[in-house]
Structure formats: structure tokens, C-alpha cells
Amino acid sequence: MITLRSLTKRYGARTVVDDLTFDVEPGKITGFLGPNGAGKSTTMRMVLGLDQPTSGQALVGGRRYAELRHPLREVGALLDAKALHPGRTAEKNLLAMARSNDIPDRRVGELLEKVGLTEAARKRTGAFSLGMSQRLGIAGALLGDPKVLMFDEPVNGLDPDGVLWVRGLLRSLAAEGRTVLVSSHLMSEMQLTADRLVVIGKGRLLADAPIEEFIASNSVSAVHVRLPDAGDRRALAERLRRDGAEVDLPSDGELVVRDIPVERVGDAAHALGVRLHGLSPRTASLEQAYLELTASAVEYGVSERTVGV
Amino acid sequence: MAATHAEWTKLWSVRSTWWCLGSAAVLMVGQAVATAFSESTEIPASRIAVDGVFYLVQFVVLALAALFVAGEYGTGGIRSTLQWVPVRRRVLAAKCAVLAPTLFVVGVVLAALAIAVSVPLLNERVPGTPVGEAVRTALAAGAYCALLGVLTVGVSVALRSVAGALTVTFLLLLVAPLLLGGMGLVAVLDYLPGIAGVNVMIGEGELSPLSGNPVPYNEFAGLGVLAAWVAAALVAGDAVLRRRDA
């Protein structure tokens, strides 16, 4: 369990993480979503005690990271896969890591095998591709068999096989009852992996909800109808409204119909005998919803601050 | 202990450590042979070892310690280090606990090696080096290398860059004595870390090749002077390490 309470980080006048409060619960994958620069990595660094919060708290299992006697056995994290001495081999790197927390040396071989780096164990990490570095970072995160895991953009640089492998791994970690926090700037990735979504923009919490709830409240579907005749357009609009639809007339020759399926719109047109030039269902993607959500946060952030000053 | 074990593993798993130690050995033996072989040499074998430490080996010690500690800021490895061991003072202590004994052994072995290769080559006009004096010089060289390494740990963590750490330690060891000597502040020289190190190696009352004066204090006082510099560097390093974000 990760607990953030009013977590805030400022660099001078710039607020990077702004009063974040949320919990990351065990047994599920929590997607931590936001555009680049939204404060995801800074938040994770504060959980690990690498950055000092300006105010507020980040706790793991109720304690600060620095208070954990063997932190790697309680929290596994992959933040920056390339933050390693390039001249050290994968194996020696994990060996030093294991020894720092009194984790048995044999775990190193086990983990290298698990992430598919056994062949590359004796290679210097400077020669690793980003994908291999990510795998090594994941091995490091799992080394101490921790209950809490944090991954910052773990599929970055992985090939499609690797991406599938990471998704499966995250699923199984959550299924084992572990707390899993995964950041990404891609909604599409989160849609496939996360059980719960925490969305931030400009350091602020924008949404914190189960993924189904987020999808339900943020994805809007509509039917677009194109008709050449203005009279037909009015008639069809009237008919659909009577059927309980919400109808917009955004431009000449077009209707946007919400709340009823495309089949019923087609049937209504047929019944009225109106000529159609187009009839198409459109679902605003979750990606779009997410972009709108984060974009507006930027605007609100600016205007509120202006008012505050 | 775990943090020290990890740092030990890290120290010996990069090539730069082996390069540094190998080149220190080559430089030390090379200069000892060349000096001892020369007809004009008038200093005993123990002094050849001291010269080798001051003019060659200590810079390798600086490079080794700076790469090991400040180098982590360049590679980003410091973030891993602090994630593994979040108590920052423990990281600092572990780095020192690994470097000090290693560099002590390096200093002792290289000084002993320099004396051993010099003795048979020196001409008969040069006074001999009794075994006791050889042992004393070697131990002093070890202590100097160890303390210098720990001083560099402090400076590295305070400045967070290899270039910065090397610049400051160079200034302290080489440039400061020249400047202060040039200003006529000869009395101060014996309290600079590099000169104090040489003083410890040559012993009380001997004429210092650097300041030209007899060494004004015994070995233990000299080690005390060095320890004060080390303590100052560690206090500065600790303050920066505890406050700054990684």
C-alpha cells in the first residue's frame, strides 16, 4: 500500500507536484497517467526518498521509505533503467544490489533467468539496448520479492513481445496480492493493463477511479448523420428527440445524435423517407477524453493561479 | 555491513578500479627504477618511495576515489545507490569503509615495492634504508593514501562531479602549497594535507623536500592534521548529500 497525503514538490516558484492525495491499493494494478512533465516521476522519486517533498507525505505500508530496514525487500522500483554504471555487467550490478539489502546471491541468477537476460549476464550494461536495460531494471525491482512495486514507463523501448510480457508480469504481480503502480503517458497502454487509474496533469490530481468508471464517465459515443435537405434535417431531429435522443445541429447538413444506437437512427430515417448522405457511429476514444482532461487542467491551473496572484 | 558489502562489490566490478591500480603500480615501480638507477641520485630508497607517492600515486588515488564516488553522479548510478540504501549517511560511511582499507593496502604495497626495487640499484654513496625505516615509510604511505581517499569521498559528494572533485583536490594538494609558499607563508605549509602527508611519511625532524624546513611534528600529529582535513571534507559532503535531491 502506498499512501500519498498532500504531497507537494516545488522547485523555486514552479510547483511540480501539487497537493497529491491518493492511495495505491494492493491486489490491483494502478495506472499512473499524465502527460510528460505532469510530475509522475517526481512523485515516484518522493516515494523512494530520492527527492524530499516540500510538504506532505509519501508512505509505504505506513512508513517513510528511509525508515525501511531492507527497503528492496519491501518496495521494488524501476525508475530510470539507464541509471547504471555502463561498465558494470548486469550480473555484478544485481549482485551489488542484492548485497545492499542482505538478499541471497542466488536470487541474481533466478531473476536474470526470469527476465530473459541469462545470456547477457556477463555483458556490460553500457552495451545494452533500452529494452534490455528495462528488463534488467525489472529484474532489480523484483530482486527482493517486494510487496510493493513501482514502474515508471516500463514498456518504453520494449519490442511487442516485451510489451506483452510486461503486461502479463504486472497482471501476475497484482494477482499475487502485491501493490502495483505503473506510470505511463499513454492512455492506450493503461486501458489494457490498469484496474484503477490515477490521472495527473501539471502535478495535480485530475481523476482517481476504477478504469470502468473512468471509461464510462469519459467516453462519449454519438451518431453523425449527413442529410442534403434542410427540411428533412429538422424532421429527423424532431423525430429522434421524441425517441429520447439528444440531438445537435452543429453545421449545415449534419446532425449529431446521442443516447440512441445507430440502428434506431437509420430506422427512423427510413420510416420518415428522408435522404441520407452519411450515417456513422463515432466513439470518442479514451485517449481523446484523457487529452481533454489533462489539457483543461493546464488551463484551469493557469487561470486559478492568475486569480490567486 | 550490507551497504559496505554492496559498495565493495561495486568497486571491484568496474574496469576503472583495475586500471587505476595497475597504472599506479607501473608508475611507482617505473619511477623508482629510473631514480635509483640514476648516478646523480642521493636520496635513500625510502625517500624514493615518498616521492613516488606524492608525485604519482596520490593522483591515481584521487582518480580512483573520484570515479568511484563522484562518477555515480555522472552515470545516474547515485539514484540506484540511494534507492538501495536510503539512509544517506550510511552510503557515505560505506564508501569510506570500502576505500580506506583498499587504499591503505595500495599505499603500503606500492611504497614497499618502490623501496624493494630501489635498494639493489642505488649506488654505494646513498645511505641505506634500514628495515624499520622501510616499514615505517610503507605504513605511513598506506595511511596517507587511505586518508586522501576518504578526503576525496567527502569532496566528491559535496561537489557531485568528477571534474569538480579532481580540480579541488589538485588545487589543495599541489597549487595551494605553491601559492602559499610564494606568498612567504612557509609556516602554514606544513598544515596543508599534501605536505602533512609527506611529513608523516618522512618523519619528525627530517628536512621536508617540499617546504625546505624540518618537519615540526611527529607522525601522529601529522595524521591528526590530515584527519582534520578529512573531517572537514566529510562534514561538507554529508551536508550536501543529506539536503540535495538525488
Side-chain angles (χ1 to χ4, degrees), chain A residues 28-260:
Chain A
K28 49 184 137 184
I29 301 175
T30 302
F32 192 24
L33 192 61
N36 289 327
K40 303 185 295 292
S41 300
T42 306
T43 302
M44 288 179 151
R45 278 204 302 273
M46 286 193 281
V47 173
L48 296 177
L50 293 175
D51 287 6
Q52 197 66 36
T54 307
S55 62
Q57 279 187 315
L59 303 176
V60 183
R63 285 185 297 164
R64 290 193 310 114
Y65 186 82
E67 292 167 6
L68 304 174
R69 181 161 152 62
H70 293 295
L72 298 182
R73 297 201 214 156
E74 302 190 43
V75 185
L78 164 64
L79 256 56
D80 179 358
K82 280 287 182 187
L84 297 173
H85 191 297
R88 196 172 284 123
T89 65
E91 185 180 43
K92 293 287 187 186
N93 191 74
L94 288 181
L95 198 58
M97 188 174 187
R99 289 172 175 171
S100 72
N101 276 246
D102 284 329
I103 296 163
D105 286 357
R106 65 175 162 74
R107 287 283 292 165
V108 171
E110 291 171 16
L111 264 302
L112 283 170
E113 171 136 29
K114 186 176 174 104
V115 301
L117 285 177
T118 307
E119 301 282 300
R122 303 265 159 84
K123 266 186 150 181
R124 295 172 204 285
T125 60
F128 274 22
S129 65
L130 181 55
M132 288 167 85
S133 298
Q134 293 283 41
R135 285 172 183 269
L136 179 59
I138 289 168
L142 300 176
L143 193 63
D145 195 20
K147 287 270 183 300
V148 175
L149 288 142
M150 293 200 300
F151 299 98
D152 197 3
E153 309 265 359
V155 300
N156 234 351
L158 292 182
D159 54 22
D161 273 356
V163 173
L164 284 179
W165 172 74
V166 167
R167 280 185 205 143
L169 179 71
L170 296 177
R171 282 260 139 263
S172 66
L173 291 169
E176 289 162 13
R178 299 177 210 258
T179 303
V180 183
L181 181 66
V182 190
S183 83
S184 176
H185 61 280
L186 295 175
M187 182 72 214
S188 50
E189 183 56 36
M190 292 288 97
Q191 230 172 316
L192 290 165
T193 48
D195 301 307
R196 190 178 183 85
L197 271 190
V198 172
V199 184
I200 65 169
K202 289 266 163 176
R204 296 172 158 227
L205 189 67
L206 300 178
D208 175 10
I211 189 113
E212 305 82 17
E213 199 178 295
F214 185 86
I215 292 173
S217 60
N218 286 288
S219 58
V220 184
S221 52
V223 179
H224 287 239
V225 190
R226 286 199 298 125
L227 314 88
D229 186 87
D232 285 356
R233 203 155 67 102
R234 274 195 302 279
L236 183 60
E238 198 174 315
R239 164 73 183 257
L240 290 169
R241 280 191 185 119
R242 248 187 292 137
D243 288 354
E246 188 190 313
V247 183
D248 284 334
L249 293 83
S251 66
D252 265 6
E254 196 178 42
L255 288 182
V256 178
V257 186
R258 289 198 179 81
D259 300 338
I260 66 171

Side-chain angles (χ1 to χ4, degrees), chain B residues 2 16 32 53 55 60-61 64 76 79 85 90 100 104 111 126-127 131 143-144 149 152-153 194 200 218 225-226 245:
Chain B
S16 60
V53 170
Y55 291 107
V60 179
V61 167
L64 179 68
R79 292 198 292 280
V85 182
R90 200 173 288 160
F104 178 77
V126 178
V131 173
Y144 176 56
T152 311
V153 172
V200 170
N218 67 22
V225 170
L226 274 170
D245 288 338

Side-chain angles (χ1 to χ4, degrees), chain B residues 48-69:
Chain B
I48 292 177
V50 174
D51 280 358
V53 170
F54 187 78
Y55 291 107
L56 300 168
V57 174
Q58 70 170 343
F59 298 105
V60 179
V61 167
L62 296 185
L64 179 68
L67 286 171
F68 180 54
V69 181

Side-chain angles (χ1 to χ4, degrees), chain B residues 104-164:
Chain B
F104 178 77
V105 171
V106 167
V108 170
V109 169
L110 291 185
L113 208 57
I115 294 170
V117 300
S118 304
V119 168
L121 294 174
L122 283 166
N123 62 60
E124 58 282 5
R125 282 181 287 115
V126 178
T129 298
V131 173
E133 177 59 16
V135 170
R136 204 197 60 80
T137 305
L139 289 175
Y144 176 56
C145 289
L147 287 167
L148 193 59
V150 177
L151 180 122
T152 311
V153 172
V155 173
S156 292
V157 174
L159 298 177
R160 300 156 59 104
S161 98
V162 176

